[in-house]
């Protein structure tokens, strides 16, 4: 192997960050189910707390199993460091609170997961952090909404239900000009899209979805590209450039300089993770490590199956509309092709001729697909948002978010495609839409 050879994601997902257990030689990453760690001396203990040396102190802040996951995620994503947390929600909250305080604002895409929207619109408001939601169809909307108190831009790579890929490079470039980092939620497109390759500065994940893949564990992660220049924008980011009273006056951009451009992620770990306690259990970290090993393989299969489902549905007489990146035209198509490599993800939307009633009948008739509020599982999943996840919204509000009354969201799994299509076919027949009956 040449010295400049860079391993690909499929290799890094299996090998990065851990080779073997130093004492037993175990090849699988052990579950270090421990709360605390023996300090070898009082001097060593005080050096750890003073950040003069880095090592394990307490599992709320760091753990060797979580560390293997963090290193592997950072490597796969092309970042410098990561912090594993207890959920995707925790990842978004912590990633943004690490730079935004009361009186500050965030400019966020309107196309977000409902939980993220609520966190930003309601919970952050109670903390004094304002979120300005803008339509990502025009990236310049981010510039228009920003001001001197804007601390981050926030978007989702492949947001459902619209499935219109976010203009990562365009918004990241505006952020570079203004001194505002772009935080991307890449939950629906791991491996297929690496937001750092397009200029994004921070990536967050719900590991609960594709990274785990097996639907067993809730978790999340924040990954730092190390490429945002916090010192250059010291006025905008006093929390990283001025003495932090919560850590005996540490100036984060200076304190961690000897170990690399990791001020953002170290601050998140040793202040917010310490104080808010979004710790990921080592057992769940182990589950995500198992998932990560096959993630590149699974993303290819999810994408292949979803593209076949989109094609099948677009030719079916009971289906009035299919939403999948492969079917877009114009700028939406260009973005999907520019940002998604090796597949366009596992999500597909469909609308039925028979409206809300047909959507519900279709879901009830599915046999292979599970009816659940989740995505990214190896199993095929379906939900009817108008009667479940979006049922608290009026019909007009639902339509604004891209949810029509008959809309069904599919998270296409990695079962054999013939079985997936057979299940969809029989459920469409059972839904008995007027178009089918005609
Ligand atoms: N981001 C996206 C895109 C999601 O779909 C979800 C959950 O559905 C989350 C974040 C939140 O993740 P979690 O459920 O792990 O808290």
């Amino acid at each position: 192997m040449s010295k400049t050879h860079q391993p690909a994601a499929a290799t890094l997902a299996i090998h990065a960050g851990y080779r073997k257990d130093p004492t037993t030689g175990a090849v699988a990453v052990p579950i270090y189910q421990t709360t605390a760690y023996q300090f070898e001396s009082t001097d060593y203990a005080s050096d750890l707390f003073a950040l003069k040396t880095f090592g394990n102190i307490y599992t709320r802040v760091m753990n060797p199993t979580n560390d293997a996951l963090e290193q592997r995620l950072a490597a796969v994503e092309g970042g410098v460091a990561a912090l594993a947390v207890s959920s995707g929600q925790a990842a978004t909250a912590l990633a943004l609170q690490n730079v935004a305080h009361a009186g500050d604002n965030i400019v966020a895409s309107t196309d977000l997961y409902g939980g993220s929207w609520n966190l930003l619109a309601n919970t952050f408001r109670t903390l004094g952090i304002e979120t300005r939601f803008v339509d990502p169809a025009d990236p310049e909307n981010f510039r228009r909404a920003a001001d001197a108190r804007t601390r981050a831009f926030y978007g989702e790579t492949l947001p459902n239900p619209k499935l219109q890929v976010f203009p990562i490079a365009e918004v990241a470039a505006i952020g570079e000009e203004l001194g505002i980092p772009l935080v991307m939620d890449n939950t629906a497109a791991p491996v297929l899209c690496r937001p750092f390759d397009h200029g994004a500065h921070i990536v967050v994940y719900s590991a609960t979805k594709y990274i785990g893949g097996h639907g067993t564990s809730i978790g999340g992660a924040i990954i730092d590209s190390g490429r945002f220049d916090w010192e250059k924008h010291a006025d905008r980011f006093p929390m990283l450039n001025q003495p932090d009273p919560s850590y005996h006056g540490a100036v984060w951009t200076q304190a961690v300089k000897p170990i690399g451009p990791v001020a953002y992620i170290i601050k998140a770990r040793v202040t917010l993770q310490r104080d808010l306690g979004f710790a990921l259990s080592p057992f769940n970290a182990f589950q995500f490590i198992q998932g990560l090993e096959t993630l590149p393989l699974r993303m290819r299969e999810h994408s292949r199956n979803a593209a076949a489902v989109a094609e099948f549905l677009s030719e079916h007489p009971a289906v009035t509309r299919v939403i999948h990146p492969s079917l877009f035209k114009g700028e939406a198509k260009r973005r999907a092709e520019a940002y998604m490599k090796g597949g366009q993800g596992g999500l597909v939307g469909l609308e039925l001729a028979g409206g809300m009633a047909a959507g519900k009948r279709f879901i009830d008739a599915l046999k292979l697909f599970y009816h659940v509020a989740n995505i990214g599982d190896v199993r095929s999943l379906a939900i009817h948002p108008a009667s479940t996840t979006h049922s608290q919204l009026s019909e007009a509000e639902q339509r604004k978010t891209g949810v029509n009354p008959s809309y069904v969201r599919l998270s296409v799994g990695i079962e054999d495609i013939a079985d997936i299509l057979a299940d969809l076919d029989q459920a469409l027949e059972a839904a008995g839409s007027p178009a089918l009956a005609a």
Side-chain angles (χ1 to χ4, degrees):
M1 227 185 266
S2 86
K3 279 196 180 137
T4 53
H5 179 80
Q6 291 294 324
T11 308
L12 294 168
I14 297 170
H15 290 282
Y18 175 90
R19 182 70 189 173
K20 62 176 173 58
D21 180 68
T23 41
T24 64
V27 170
V29 180
I31 304 172
Y32 288 95
Q33 196 72 33
T34 183
T35 305
Y37 307 84
Q38 164 81 1
F39 301 131
E40 290 310 329
S41 69
T42 49
D43 285 347
Y44 176 68
S46 70
D47 281 355
L48 283 175
F49 278 85
L51 299 179
K52 285 188 189 147
T53 187
F54 282 88
N56 296 312
I57 296 177
Y58 190 63
T59 282
R60 175 158 21 92
V61 180
M62 61 194 81
N63 172 280
T65 312
N66 297 22
D67 178 61
L69 172 67
E70 289 161 350
Q71 289 198 45
R72 214 159 265 187
L73 282 170
V76 169
E77 204 60 41
V80 291
L83 173 62
V85 292
S86 53
S87 69
Q89 285 298 106
T92 298
L94 204 148
L96 295 173
Q97 281 185 280
N98 204 33
V99 287
H101 299 165
D104 296 337
N105 67 71
I106 289 150
V107 180
S109 167
T110 42
D111 295 353
L112 292 185
Y113 162 62
S116 308
W117 186 88
N118 242 320
L119 168 69
L120 297 177
N122 296 315
T123 300
F124 271 20
R125 184 167 41 78
T126 67
L127 303 176
I129 301 168
E130 179 200 356
T131 303
R132 301 168 179 183
F133 291 98
V134 298
D135 184 352
D138 181 0
E140 286 298 317
N141 286 336
F142 281 80
R143 187 196 305 277
R144 287 182 203 110
D147 64 18
R149 295 299 296 267
T150 303
R151 300 296 184 242
F153 290 155
Y154 183 77
E156 260 179 48
T157 306
L158 180 65
N160 74 80
K162 290 184 187 165
L163 302 182
Q164 300 204 351
V165 175
F166 186 86
I168 304 173
E170 293 88 334
V171 177
I174 296 169
E176 283 289 334
E177 263 181 65
L178 303 180
I180 299 169
L182 172 61
V183 181
M184 286 303 305
D185 179 341
N186 201 41
T187 297
V191 181
L192 304 175
C193 175
R194 294 209 318 177
F196 295 157
D197 293 346
H198 307 285
H201 304 95
I202 307 292
V203 161
V204 294
Y205 276 110
S206 166
T208 314
K209 310 293 188 299
Y210 290 103
I211 290 174
H214 300 97
T216 62
S217 313
I218 301 274
I222 307 169
I223 305 167
D224 187 349
S225 70
R227 288 196 216 121
F228 191 81
D229 192 342
W230 306 103
E231 280 186 89
K232 185 172 164 197
H233 305 290
D235 289 348
R236 204 182 278 280
F237 298 103
M239 63 291 278
L240 283 149
N241 288 285
Q242 286 177 17
D244 185 345
S246 93
Y247 217 100
H248 48 67
V251 176
W252 293 111
T253 46
Q254 305 308 317
V256 303
K257 223 170 216 172
I259 55 168
V262 289
Y264 169 90
I265 205 81
I266 296 280
K267 173 186 176 295
R269 181 188 295 282
V270 302
T271 64
L272 290 181
Q273 179 78 321
R274 175 199 64 186
D275 297 349
L276 300 175
F278 294 144
L280 178 70
S281 100
F283 181 75
N284 281 8
F286 174 81
Q287 300 281 44
F288 294 131
I289 290 167
Q290 307 316 301
L292 195 52
E293 289 183 349
T294 57
L295 180 67
L297 200 65
R298 283 186 285 111
M299 291 315 291
R300 271 206 303 277
E301 282 302 297
H302 282 294
S303 298
R304 215 164 58 135
N305 280 353
V309 164
E311 196 186 333
F312 166 79
L313 293 174
S314 38
E315 287 162 8
H316 200 287
V319 178
T320 51
R321 188 164 167 239
V322 183
I323 299 110
H324 184 261
S326 66
L327 303 171
F328 292 144
K329 304 224 169 355
E331 179 59 12
K333 182 180 173 66
R334 189 202 64 77
R335 284 181 192 166
E337 285 172 357
Y339 294 118
M340 305 280 286
K341 301 287 180 204
Q344 298 197 320
L347 303 176
V348 180
L350 70 137
E351 290 173 14
L352 298 168
M356 168 92 113
K360 289 172 74 173
R361 278 199 302 273
F362 172 75
I363 293 272
D364 284 336
L366 288 167
K367 295 193 173 104
L368 183 72
F369 279 69
Y370 281 84
H371 179 199
V372 294
N374 194 18
I375 59 167
D377 201 315
V378 289
R379 298 156 193 79
S380 287
L381 315 173
I383 197 154
H384 179 239
S387 62
T388 56
T389 52
H390 289 58
S391 57
Q392 273 101 46
L393 305 184
S394 68
E395 191 178 320
E397 286 170 330
Q398 288 183 4
R399 286 183 191 278
K400 229 167 125 185
T401 68
V403 171
N404 289 339
S406 72
Y407 180 95
V408 172
R409 182 188 72 198
L410 303 179
S411 172
V412 180
I414 59 170
E415 303 95 337
D416 190 283
I417 187 62
D419 298 325
I420 293 173
L421 296 183
D423 193 36
L424 293 172
D425 200 32
Q426 66 79 24
L428 284 168
E429 186 150 358
S433 76
L436 243 198

